[in-house]
Amino acid sequence: MPSHNPVASDAEARIEVKNTTCYMCACRCGIRVTLRDGEVRYIQGNPDHPLNKGVICAKGASGIMKQYSPARLTKPLRRKPGAERGAAEFEEISWDEAFQIMEERLAHLRKTDPKKFALFTGRDQMQALTGMFAKQFGTPNYAAHGGFCSVNMATGMIYTIGGSFWEFGGPDLDRAKLFIMLGTAEDHHSNPLKIAMSQFKRNGGRFISINPVRTGYSAIADEWVPIRPGTDSALLLALIHQLLKTGLYDRDFLVQYTNAAELVSVDEDSDDFGLFVRTDIPHPKDCFDPQDRVWWDRRQDKAVPARSEGADPFLMGEFTTADGRRVKPAFQLLKERVEKYTPEWAATVTGIPVETIERLAYEMGITARDDKIELPIAWTDVWGKDHDTVTGNPVAFHAMRGLAAHSNGFQTIRALSILMTVLGTIDRPGGFRHKAPFPRPIPPCAKTPNSPDGVKPETPLGGMPLGWPAEPDDLFVDDRGEPVRIDKAFSWEFPLAAHGLMHNAITNAWRQDPYAIDTLLIFMANMAWNSSMNTSEVRKMLNDKDENGEYKIPFLIVADAFESEMVAFADLVLPDTTYLERHDVMSMLDRPISEYDGPVDSVRIPVLPPTGECKPFQEVLIELGSRLKLPAFTREDGSRKYRDYPDFIVNYETEPGSGIGFLAGWRGKGGEKFMKGEPNPNQWEMYEKNNCVFHYELPKSFQYMRNWNRGYLNWAQEHRLTRYAEPINCHIYSEVLMKFRLAAQGKTEGKQPPEHLRKRVETYFDPLPFYYEPLESQLSDKQKYPLNAITQRPMAMYHSWDSQNAWLRQIHAHNHLYMHPSLGEKGGFDDGDWVWVESMWGKVRCMCRFSEAVEPGTVWTWNAIGKAAGAWRLSDDANESRKGFLLNHLISEELPPHADGEHLSNSDPITGQAGWYDVRVRVYKAGDDEPAETSPQFDPMPAVPGTGKTPKWLAYFAGKFARGKNP
Amino acid sequence: MTQLALVIDLNVCVGCSACVTSCKEWNTSGPAGAMSDDNPYGKDPTGTFFNRVQTYEVGSFPMTETVHFPKSCLHCEDAPCVPVCPTGASYKRPEDGIVLVDYDKCIGCKYCSWACPYGAREFDEHEKVMKKCTLCVDRIYDESLPESERKPACVLACPTNARLFGDVHEPESEVSVAIREEGGYPLMPEWGTKPANHYLPRRKTRMHIHEDELVRADNPLKKEERGPSAPVAEPTLDDSTSW
Amino acid sequence: MHPAFSVIFLTTLIGVGQGLFLALFTGQSYSAVELLPSQDSTHFYGIGGFLALLFLIGGLIASVFHLGHPERAWRAATQWRTSWLSREVIALPLLMALVFVYAMMHYFAWDTVLFTSGTGARLQASLVVGTLGVIATFALFLCTGMIYACIKFLQEWASSLTVINYLLLGTASGFFFATAFSAWAAPELMRFYGIWTAIITLAALVTRLASLIRNNRIKHKSSIQSAIGVRHTKIVQKSQGAMGGSYNTREYLHGAPIWMFRSIKWVFLVLVFPVPLALLWLGLAQGSGALLLAGFIVQYIGLLFERWFFFAQANHPQNIYYGAV
Ligand SMILES: Nc1nc2c(c(=O)[nH]1)N[C@H]1C(S)=C(S)[C@@H](COP(=O)(O)OP(=O)(O)OC[C@H]3O[C@@H](n4cnc5c(=O)[nH]c(N)nc54)[C@H](O)[C@@H]3O)O[C@H]1N2
Ligand SMILES: Nc1nc2c(c(=O)[nH]1)N[C@H]1C(S)=C(S)[C@@H](COP(=O)(O)OP(=O)(O)OC[C@H]3O[C@@H](n4cnc5c(=O)[nH]c(N)nc54)[C@H](O)[C@@H]3O)O[C@H]1N2
Ligand code: SF4
Ligand code: SF4
Ligand code: SF4
Ligand code: SF4
Ligand code: SF4
Ligand SMILES: [Mo]
């Protein structure tokens, strides 16, 4: 008999099981944490959680190694007097001292010039709180990661269909028959997407992936369509071309639910050129989107009010109105637009064979038409018409940063949204589905101030720090049309920068353009490494001093949980807790975890006490807000309003008595209300009892067609998800964009772009999607730099923050540059050789790896595996810093000087989305005499006080037996 | 006779490695642990894992398939690693076919791992004993767990449900049906080890478009045709005769 | 396979010990039937026996370094029904015991004549013990060889040549040592042992070359196709899920550059066969014990290389799963 008991039980140990929400990534799965004698024994997916239904990913299952990582910061730190920034020489201070330092400095700034305080936050999930703090402080200089992340996806879709992928909606794979995924490696919806994709495949669905690289999800695609980076709009426009040409579009959907049939004035010299023809139909006051457009009725052959009873409009053609104006339906303009975008043309741009493009169009069109879904769900539309069924065309799409992270991404994503619309798949079964609080009006209502007057000492900001401009007058610029924000968001350079341009904050602050700031607070962003473009130079800027020997960015506060590269540059370090140690909310005010069937929000409840002196950043903000006496955190008598963060979450209301707070569930005194209701003192307990989730399932009749579903819209209005219960028609033709173009053409009264930007705004603010080469490509010597370089998310690593994780780093210890073997043949190097990859901005030495799963004009690598020596408490010779590399050194945050200006961000000219994937490179063999090591290298970062020991080996065993087993 | 096993569906495995780390976290604190790691924060980190996911590329661009391939002990029915063990530490449980190592008997001679053609065993450099996938024998019979969770950690974790678990000798079990109906196969059948674990191959869904389908009776383009709008001003018969 | 030094020393040292014991026993048998002059029991068979024992002990010590838990080594004797390793674990101490008794009998002259034949040939008790020793020696060679030969998918090893080579190479080195030893302790046996050494070494050369040729021609049954079950002519591994390496990348890959791997083959072929044979010839010709000892040492070193190569050449099918390093 065996003597070792393979099923030994934990009987003698003290076992506790607690639910909370994972934060090894932004997906926010429900987890169940088992503690043995107070140590984490097991983290599993919570089977009762709507998002992940019990599954977990590689990161989530490695939470133990994050919790006990030696790289954790555990003490507030101050840069040692006399020590240089970047040298990471710190001394421990108390929280009291830390708060004093911040209070003094920030109070002064608030009194004098609040915009000199800038708050930028990275991949966090508490923008509702950080944004509110910034607004209360009165600074416009606030943004989160969206600008360098995927704002193109958000804006491109929201300005077209009132909702987006990303965290606001997605493909209905339960019912889809054909699924096309573009430019997605992993995305935020990590586990749910995986669950859905495998079910979809097993149900016999057909899955096509359009991506220059075949890994991860693309690996299991039924068909892989390799595409040249940055050319998706060419493909999408050609698909639309083909669908329009063959009549494979959903006419009824287009007519009723989009602006396709609405007439646009096309007389160049008329006042309303390029705008929709409007009638003076009376419409309710306080209306967001007056339904005052016009159709050309086929039967009466004349203009009639859009959607009037019995009317059947032309989608194509040109007409002359009674008053002699030439008009065309928006769809006709689209048809004219895509005329030249033939499959033959697209083939030369994308590298995809003509037959494939045609076939893709047919597959989409035929599936949409012939596999129609009809669900016996009765609903009523906003116009009062009853429908017995909900119908759907089962073609679903998903796309992410492969489209978004190009400087033509906005228009590409517009093209995609229009393709989805043309196929009639918006918020219908088998197509795209919204998630609360979406859909929203186009564009959503939130606005920034529109002049510098919005920024005043001792006063909250006169608007939101971030918003959704609907017209030039919404821009946040001064009289000369110059930006008010440090990142130049909402200026004429990036008018629709709905998420800000965090990637330019440091460069602009360093150049003091448009002005100098004093204090920069960075929370959960590693801007000295992977979230900066041009990383090497940005590191210098963070350290740069003026003639007087003062740092150009005078004071830098970093709130981080680990010894990241960013920490080295801090003047003050605030040690944050881990996700297992704090309260948190995934709020409806931010990015909740809603499902297609209704709103869902969730919380984190600590399962462990904070380590060392770690303090949740939420608590830091509440404390600071109270000390600075920001109105929202202070009672009338000036005393502190909230004891702590949990207290804040329960009792804060967006406006006194609004009944709207961070959490939507169990509101009202006894928890009987939801979405809206008085604070409930027991709200946290109720979340705790319910797997940390609040999930409201909408009645079936409210679950579809929500842009036009009267029941849903009224419900949403009643529950204060939205102000307006009006139809949200899809914008085939974007009047919003046209208004900016008209301003650039000098045809409008309102705000006008500065001269040097007129051409740029006119060109890119095209009301219909068009193909253009990404800006950096346009300005690159493509003979010299023939290749596109892109990155992908590895599934088992989250950005830069998992290299401290002893288990995950074994899966990705370093990265390679993947490329087609033909490049090696041409360049005379072999698989595994050290090569230089060089862009016009710089070069990086790395190891190459040949692959047949990449488009031959593309090289790629896993993102953020490479690290700076010594960071994350890795040894100086760790693989991450010696063999791993960061592509960001090759990517500039600014375009080369050109006609439109000198320091324009390397971003989408409409939204300011960072153009990560636009860089052009060449690859050549490294010299035999060169060291077999990554270049550039940086001085190793020393261990900072409060971080842990790094043992030579480790044998984790949770609980009281541990003593015997651990080294 | 019962033979428990995993069936891994390569058709849906996206190579996420959830099965890798969930296995490690479950087992490191269990009877099969601790699972040590060397140089956890240094050069060439390396540790004991019972399951790893590998990646293969099949074919040439653009006809490339990328295959993610998880592999743990296959719990061979004719396990060559068992008879060679000089101490009897390596054994196959008659009741369920799970192949295990008795750490108290193992002398760390590594011979069993030489005898495994699949590279499924891993020597723990610190406990100095041979380790391997236990098929989570400490979970699957644990009656303190809800029935639905009496499954291996990797199976519960897998986001694509690519890992099926059950008795491959029970013809109607989920795993047997999958093997039978989805073309499940064993690895390296040439050695007669009869691995209990099986793999399900890639399966493709294709669409065939018939020319007829491109033409449609109610083609919406027809609705855009405007009737001839006759110009009133141009000459007609009316201008030349009155009959 | 990654050559483990403990195993290299284990197999080569016990090989010498086994061979030396066989040599002593052969000598004594020849003497018993008076084909050779009889020797001083204490100094030749006694000391010789202890020397053989020393080699065996050396091997045993080396083997301990291979074990994670040597304190439990006794357990390794339990599975003799199925495990060649277990059988070796039994055979080795058994042989050591017999060699010890054999040496003691000679050293302390406890030997008795059990029987004298008509022709004057005497059956000594030590010869009986020696015979048992010989059986144990062959059993041990068989076990050692079979440990490797029985793993059918290690195709380079899975051959009777593996057992024969263990037998012949061990015996050759033992006889060589006996030759050198006799130069001091029993010069009149020097030539006898020398000739046997040459014969066995040449035989080993033949069988070892045979195994090299065989291994060169091996068609491996497992392929990447059968390993992952995908049928395609072009399959390339891109990652193995552990970038810092794993037990599987350390234990089964010799890690030496290909030039080194190839040259080691030539090194061992030269060091095990022609050089020692030349030294043997010279030593015998000049009656130089020093040259003979040098010959033995060279051959032993050659055997270390031979064993390294034996391991390194074995291509474990598991390596198919660990090809992308
Ligand atoms: N495991 C893990 N999950 C994560 C993250 C992480 O770091 N790790 N990060 C999270 C964050 S912040 C984000 S923003 C999301 C991002 O989620 P994704 O957008 O899925 O992530 P990326 O890695 O940027 O993927 C871009 C994909 O687009 C492809 N691509 C690049 N250029 C083009 C192109 O021009 N056309 C097409 N069609 N494809 C192209 C790339 O090959 C790659 O597959 O992931 C989130 N999820
Ligand atoms: N080349 C290239 N660069 C890219 C991208 C790309 O595709 N290619 N993607 C971009 C995208 S989409 C994004 S979103 C950014 C992400 O970039 P960042 O937002 O900078 O993400 P991380 O690098 O993970 O840095 C987050 C920081 O948060 C810290 N942290 C982790 N957990 C906690 C916590 O609980 N509390 C606190 N206070 N800190 C914590 C980590 O230690 C780390 O320093 O990267 C961008 N950079
Ligand atoms: S997908 Fe993200 S949130 Fe979900 S388990 Fe993995 S790391 Fe955690
Ligand atoms: S968890 Fe599932 S999908 Fe992920 S690698 Fe393992 S088997 Fe594949
Ligand atoms: S896979 Fe290897 S270790 Fe597992 S039973 Fe088969 S031979 Fe033994
Ligand atoms: S390492 Fe342990 S289990 Fe393996 S053969 Fe040796 S004693 Fe048996
Ligand atoms: S069955 Fe258990 S031990 Fe085996 S690979 Fe899965 S989790 Fe690991
Ligand atoms: Mo992102």
Side-chain angles (χ1 to χ4, degrees), chain A residues 566-587:
Chain A
M566 189 65 213
V567 165
F569 295 89
D571 298 300
L572 186 64
V573 179
L574 309 176
D576 200 359
T577 46
T578 63
Y579 67 109
L580 296 178
E581 300 170 345
R582 65 179 178 240
H583 286 91
D584 241 333
V585 298
M586 274 47 75
S587 165

Side-chain angles (χ1 to χ4, degrees), chain A residues 483-737:
Chain A
V484 180
R485 287 175 53 110
I486 188 75
D487 62 359
K488 307 191 183 182
F490 311 106
S491 75
W492 285 102
E493 290 180 17
F494 319 99
L496 307 187
H499 293 160
L501 283 90
M502 190 159 161
H503 47 295
N504 288 96
I506 292 173
T507 309
N508 294 356
W510 164 80
R511 194 180 285 123
Q512 314 199 334
D513 164 24
Y515 47 80
I517 59 164
D518 175 83
T519 297
L520 176 58
L521 169 51
I522 299 270
F523 164 61
M524 214 191 260
N526 192 0
M527 302 228 45
W529 202 246
N530 81 304
S531 47
S532 278
M533 303 168 118
N534 199 9
T535 304
S536 307
E537 291 306 310
V538 166
R539 289 166 69 92
K540 287 183 199 147
M541 294 173 198
L542 289 170
N543 266 359
D544 199 23
K545 295 179 179 159
D546 61 17
E547 318 75 65
N548 307 324
E550 297 296 328
Y551 283 112
K552 292 233 173 111
I553 303 172
F555 199 66
L556 217 89
I557 309 171
V558 174
D560 206 312
F562 299 96
E563 185 177 332
S564 68
E565 284 88 351
M566 189 65 213
V567 165
F569 295 89
D571 298 300
L572 186 64
V573 179
L574 309 176
D576 200 359
T577 46
T578 63
Y579 67 109
L580 296 178
E581 300 170 345
R582 65 179 178 240
H583 286 91
D584 241 333
V585 298
M586 274 47 75
S587 165
M588 212 52 67
L589 305 181
D590 190 348
R591 306 232 166 93
I593 55 165
S594 297
E595 297 279 316
Y596 300 146
D597 64 13
V600 190
D601 68 7
S602 63
V603 301
R604 244 169 234 126
I605 297 179
V607 300
L608 290 167
T611 300
E613 284 168 53
C614 289
K615 191 186 277 296
F617 187 64
Q618 291 88 334
E619 299 290 359
V620 174
L621 286 184
I622 306 284
E623 174 77 29
L624 262 182
S626 310
R627 286 184 183 229
L628 293 170
K629 303 206 183 310
L630 305 185
F633 298 95
T634 318
R635 292 208 185 86
E636 308 254 298
D637 62 0
S639 66
R640 179 182 181 135
K641 199 162 172 188
Y642 303 106
R643 190 177 60 243
D644 54 14
Y645 179 69
D647 182 41
F648 167 83
I649 288 300
V650 167
N651 291 306
Y652 171 80
E653 292 176 275
T654 50
E655 275 150 56
S658 74
I660 304 174
F662 275 69
L663 289 176
W666 297 284
R667 300 196 69 85
K669 294 222 170 57
E672 68 288 350
K673 302 182 182 163
F674 64 96
M675 304 314 291
K676 183 174 169 290
E678 316 80 89
N680 163 13
N682 295 319
Q683 200 176 21
W684 283 104
E685 288 73 37
M686 296 187 169
Y687 270 88
E688 188 168 13
K689 271 194 218 112
N690 285 279
N691 290 303
C692 293
V693 185
F694 169 74
H695 183 177
Y696 175 73
E697 203 174 314
L698 292 163
K700 278 257 187 292
S701 64
F702 293 5
Q703 288 185 11
Y704 298 93
M705 301 297 280
R706 278 164 287 193
N707 300 45
W708 316 276
N709 184 320
R710 188 164 74 184
Y712 171 77
L713 288 167
N714 287 343
W715 178 89
Q717 189 180 42
E718 207 179 295
H719 289 85
R720 305 319 284 160
L721 260 69
T722 176
R723 186 163 298 142
Y724 306 102
E726 295 169 27
I728 303 165
N729 296 328
C730 301
H731 288 197
I732 298 283
Y733 182 87
S734 172
E735 201 178 48
V736 175
L737 295 180

Side-chain angles (χ1 to χ4, degrees), chain C residues 260-287:
Chain C
M260 180 171 149
F261 173 75
R262 290 216 183 105
S263 28
I264 282 180
K265 178 167 79 181
W266 291 107
V267 170
F268 98 68
L269 282 175
V270 170
L271 292 187
V272 176
F273 304 106
V275 178
L277 285 176
L279 287 167
L280 179 72
W281 183 70
L282 271 178
L284 290 179
Q286 299 182 9

Side-chain angles (χ1 to χ4, degrees), chain B residues 81-82 84-91 100-102 105-113 121 123 128-130, chain C residues 67 85:
Chain B
C81 55
V82 169
V84 301
C85 172
T87 62
S90 227
Y91 65 105
L100 290 176
V101 178
D102 182 337
K105 285 186 183 167
C106 175
I107 56 172
C109 67
K110 305 180 182 171
Y111 191 37
C112 53
S113 71
R121 298 185 159 234
F123 186 69
K128 301 283 182 202
V129 293
M130 192 54 73
Chain C
L67 298 186
L85 179 51

Side-chain angles (χ1 to χ4, degrees), chain A residues 1-8 32 36 40-44 47 54-59 61-62 64-65 68-70 191 194-195 197-198 201-202 204-206 214-217 219-222 224 226 244-249 251-252 296 298 301 312-316 318-319 359 362-363 366-367 369-370 795-796 804 806-811 813 820 850-856 873-875 877-879 883 950-958 965, chain B residues 9-49 52 57-68 91 93 100-105 126-127 131 137-139 141 146 148-149 152-164 200 202-207 209-210 212-216 218-227 229:
Chain A
M1 270 305 287
S3 48
H4 170 262
N5 182 0
V7 293
R32 183 175 288 172
R36 184 159 69 196
V40 186
R41 191 264 180 262
Y42 186 45
I43 301 176
Q44 67 188 115
V55 309
I56 197 164
C57 80
K59 297 160 279 145
S62 304
I64 296 172
M65 287 294 115
Y68 302 116
S69 165
N191 280 334
K194 292 187 189 98
I195 296 171
M197 269 180 18
S198 81
K201 277 203 75 176
R202 285 191 172 145
R206 175 159 159 79
R214 183 170 205 171
T215 55
Y217 297 160
I220 62 166
D222 293 302
W224 171 48
L244 263 53
K245 191 171 131 187
T246 44
L248 284 167
Y249 52 86
R251 185 175 201 281
D252 297 341
W296 197 273
R298 288 169 62 217
D301 199 15
D312 181 14
F314 277 113
L315 281 177
M316 294 177 183
E318 181 182 325
F319 312 94
R359 181 172 46 78
Y362 299 155
E363 286 198 21
I366 290 172
T367 308
R369 184 194 67 196
D370 295 346
M795 290 191 183
Q804 39 74 26
W807 295 345
L808 294 174
R809 73 180 287 258
Q810 293 184 51
I811 300 174
H820 190 263
F850 291 168
S851 166
E852 295 285 348
V854 54
E855 186 276 318
R873 293 296 272 114
L874 298 182
S875 66
D877 62 353
N879 305 41
K883 289 177 167 179
T950 52
K952 277 254 156 289
W953 63 281
L954 169 90
Y956 183 77
F957 193 89
K965 291 226 181 187
Chain B
D9 189 352
L10 300 182
N11 191 40
V12 294
C13 171
V14 291
C16 70
S17 292
C19 49
V20 175
T21 60
S22 60
C23 168
K24 177 112 174 177
E25 70 154 353
W26 172 257
N27 286 296
T28 193
S29 291
M35 292 161 74
S36 60
D37 298 291
D38 279 276
N39 314 325
Y41 307 105
K43 189 182 177 188
D44 293 338
T46 175
T48 314
F49 283 81
R52 302 190 190 255
E57 279 177 14
V58 179
S60 305
F61 181 87
M63 303 309 292
T64 320
E65 289 283 335
T66 303
V67 178
H68 298 295
Y91 65 105
R93 290 164 41 118
L100 290 176
V101 178
D102 182 337
Y103 294 176
D104 292 336
K105 285 186 183 167
H126 298 281
E127 269 184 73
K131 299 194 167 175
V137 63
D138 55 336
R139 283 192 68 83
Y141 298 112
S148 59
E149 289 177 35
C154 58
V155 172
L156 292 177
C158 177
T160 63
N161 189 22
R163 306 174 74 84
L164 313 178
L200 305 181
R202 281 275 163 79
R203 303 179 286 286
K204 298 271 182 210
T205 303
R206 295 195 169 78
M207 183 170 171
I209 295 170
H210 199 275
D212 297 347
E213 290 165 339
L214 280 175
V215 194
R216 60 188 280 195
D218 60 344
N219 192 319
L221 284 171
K222 287 188 195 154
K223 294 204 172 170
E224 309 304 338
E225 290 155 11
R226 298 185 72 187
S229 63

Side-chain angles (χ1 to χ4, degrees), chain B residues 84 106 111 113-114 185 190-191, chain C residues 83 147 222 226 228 247 316:
Chain B
V84 301
C106 175
Y111 191 37
S113 71
W114 293 9
Y185 61 88
E190 59 272 21
W191 301 118
Chain C
S83 170
I147 286 175
S222 289
S226 74
I228 66 168
Y247 170 71
H316 200 292

